Amino acid sequence: MQLYNTLSAEERKELIDQAGQQRLTLSFYQYAHIEDPQQFRNDLFLAWNKLDALGRTYVAKEGINAQMSVPAENFEAFRDTLEAYDFMKGIRLNVAVEHDDHSFLKLTVKVRNKIVADGLNDETFDVTNKGVHLNAQAFNDILDDPNTIVVDFRNHYESEVGHFRGAITPDVETFRESLPIINEQLKDFKEDKNLVMYCTGGIRCEKASAYFKHQGFKNVYQLEGGIINYAKQIKEEGIESKFIGKNFVFDHRLGERITNDIIAQCHQCGKPCDNHTNCSNDACHLLFIQCDECAEKMENCCSTDCLETTHLTLVEQIKKRKGLQVGNKIFRKGKSESLTFKKSGVLEGISLAQATEEAPKNIRQKIKTKKTILGVAEHYFTKAGVGQFSLTHGEMKAGDKILISGPTTGNQEIVVKAMRVNGQENTTAAKGDKITFAVPFRVRLSDKVYKVLD
């Protein structure tokens, strides 16, 4: 009985490309009382694995929270796996406005204490006693009421690139930080104001609405299905968007455009920009906003220190970060002294530029080329313009067309005219060999090398 992933992300990506099926990116949640979260988790994994459903799901005694990628032809069968449970009958599935076949490459279902961490330890708090749901039109209408206070219950790096005009946008990194801040800020308005809230898909503001009702607020409302559902409704029904900018999402796309307004700036140069990226330094991965020009200049790094680190050999990089916590625990998301133009707290919501329809960059292109894996990049010698690779599969010859692919490098094809194998000039390399050859662009440690098949 398979209860965990057995394929790597690269293997899964290749299978998706070969299948050639349209996939839908969607999200859903439901607060409920689940007696045995572990058994519930196992049953879901088995059912979803059969449908080639991928994504990230959390289950707890208080309910379920999921972001998924599902083959379009299996959509109804996937819904059936949910509605087999009484508490999910008629559940709303928030289908993304934009789709990407590679939005998720693994199926992860985890048991947690809570599906949304809130920092609360109050047994009298009933998370199912939620505020009034509002559809897009009703939400727009209540925003026009001068008696309304609207709160964005997302994190600073989400609200910075897009939010509803006039919303309170707390300068926080986690949902749990928002609750006491907003409770204190609005403590004098419990009786006479409409407290209206929103988030990405509805799950955070649903819990927040129940919390503020528990705190004594009388008129509590929430945007049904969050920004994702709002975007869908305004598009289908021709409703004016009172949301401006881009909606941050938690898959590799990092954003869905709702309006063409760009309200954020590149954190490095200040140019109007709302494209998030993660720093290429494996010991950093800071989430920040970076324009194309700075991405090229800084090689997708957040600082000169990180840029210099990426130019070290793999051994030197590992040695440098020894003893450090890697990933987002080193830096706060989007907050670093190296980022001159980072905005937090009170956001103006003023359009700085208009997004234009542009051809996708290499990083976003879906490669349908027939290919087979050869190996991985180990180092790039900047001055010489030479890449070093480890051959983990198959055989490679001089004259082969290869594809070098990675999240920052994108997808680049070249013909290898000459190469060195284990330090000696040679025309053929086999599994286990170390090879070097000229590469007219920078390669990175995470890059994969494929042989292009005619």
Side-chain angles (χ1 to χ4, degrees), residues 36 78 323 370 385 437:
D36 189 345
F78 178 79
K370 290 185 178 181
F437 51 85

Side-chain angles (χ1 to χ4, degrees), residues 242-311:
K242 290 186 178 290
F243 184 96
I244 180 172
K246 182 185 282 188
N247 180 31
F248 184 95
V249 294
F250 291 89
D251 56 60
H252 90 105
R253 297 172 299 157
L254 297 180
E256 284 188 335
R257 184 158 299 287
I258 308 300
T259 71
N260 287 329
D261 302 284
I262 297 175
I263 65 173
Q265 295 173 286
C266 172
H267 287 167
Q268 292 174 319
C269 72
K271 175 184 175 180
C273 177
D274 55 10
N275 294 325
H276 277 98
T277 190
N278 286 106
C279 179
S280 289
N281 179 10
D282 286 335
C284 176
H285 287 310
L286 176 71
L287 180 72
F288 68 108
I289 297 174
Q290 186 179 51
C291 69
D292 292 345
E293 288 80 0
C294 287
E296 182 175 356
K297 174 183 175 183
M298 297 295 294
E299 298 180 17
N300 289 92
C301 291
C302 69
S303 65
T304 53
D305 182 59
C306 282
L307 178 60
E308 291 169 0
T309 298
T310 63
H311 286 203

Side-chain angles (χ1 to χ4, degrees), residues 310-329:
T310 63
H311 286 203
L312 300 175
T313 65
L314 177 59
V315 172
E316 290 172 323
Q317 289 189 46
I318 293 174
K319 183 178 179 180
K320 186 174 181 179
R321 65 176 181 260
K322 186 176 181 180
L324 295 176
Q325 288 182 309
V326 298
N328 289 328
K329 292 182 180 179

